[in-house]
Amino acid sequence: MIDKNSSHLAGEFLVAGELSRRGYSVSITMGNAKSIDILADTKKGVIKIDAKAGRTKGNWPISKDSIEKDMYYIFVYLQTFKEIENNKAPEFFIVSGREILNKKLVTRWKTRQGIRYSDLKNKKYKERWDKLPKPKESQ
């Protein structure tokens, strides 16, 4: 069984790698109690990113009170081990904090809150890297 922290770290590194591949200069913040996982340099300045990762299609735990309007949230479905063996790539869902709050994407369960995979698996969020400001041009 993979622990939750390993999945979260895998998600952070996958998001940072994908951003770098797309031309962003990125910095990963380290530590356990942090709200910002990645900083990315864009034409509009540095943006803050919170990466959330999981291996199931259930949900990503996140409370409505922790959402920052000006932050970007990138949710990663890492895939099950069987899907990985079949060369299935991770899925990325890009959502701004403003969208999460305006579209009321956070669902409340009995003991916690989160965002459902099924609410993000559509063309509004899946692989929507274009929602991020363009990367700052390299020197």
Side-chain angles (χ1 to χ4, degrees):
M1 177 66 124
I2 301 291
D3 72 63
K4 187 172 110 177
N5 208 27
S6 294
S7 292
H8 181 71
L9 279 173
E12 284 183 31
F13 285 111
L14 282 166
V15 169
E18 188 62 26
L19 288 168
S20 183
R21 190 175 79 82
R22 292 171 179 274
Y24 294 89
S25 176
V26 298
S27 295
I28 298 175
T29 63
M30 301 309 271
N32 290 336
K34 59 191 175 72
S35 61
I36 301 168
D37 294 320
I38 300 165
L39 297 169
D41 209 6
T42 75
K43 288 183 177 182
K44 293 185 177 184
V46 174
I47 59 170
K48 302 179 291 185
I49 297 169
D50 187 0
K52 302 282 185 197
R55 292 189 183 279
T56 65
K57 290 183 180 178
N59 65 74
W60 290 277
I62 189 169
S63 72
K64 184 179 175 184
D65 295 338
S66 70
I67 304 295
E68 292 185 35
K69 289 180 195 172
D70 296 326
M71 189 178 300
Y72 289 90
Y73 295 82
I74 301 181
F75 299 89
V76 185
Y77 170 49
L78 297 170
Q79 306 296 344
T80 63
F81 291 114
K82 186 171 184 153
E83 289 170 320
I84 292 167
E85 287 173 358
N86 291 324
N87 293 319
K88 194 119 183 337
E91 294 176 323
F92 297 93
F93 305 91
I94 296 85
V95 191
S96 71
R98 196 168 266 103
E99 283 179 297
I100 291 172
L101 295 171
N102 290 345
K103 302 210 189 266
K104 298 179 172 87
L105 290 173
V106 177
T107 302
R108 183 161 192 72
W109 293 278
K110 287 182 182 179
T111 59
R112 63 184 182 154
Q113 298 176 14
I115 295 180
R116 294 183 194 277
Y117 171 86
S118 59
D119 290 338
L120 296 183
K121 191 175 180 188
N122 60 62
K123 64 183 179 182
K124 286 187 247 174
Y125 309 112
K126 188 172 182 182
E127 301 295 337
R128 289 297 307 274
W129 298 99
D130 60 301
K131 288 183 179 186
L132 303 175
K134 299 280 185 231
K136 189 175 186 178
E137 293 179 17
S138 303
Q139 307 298 1

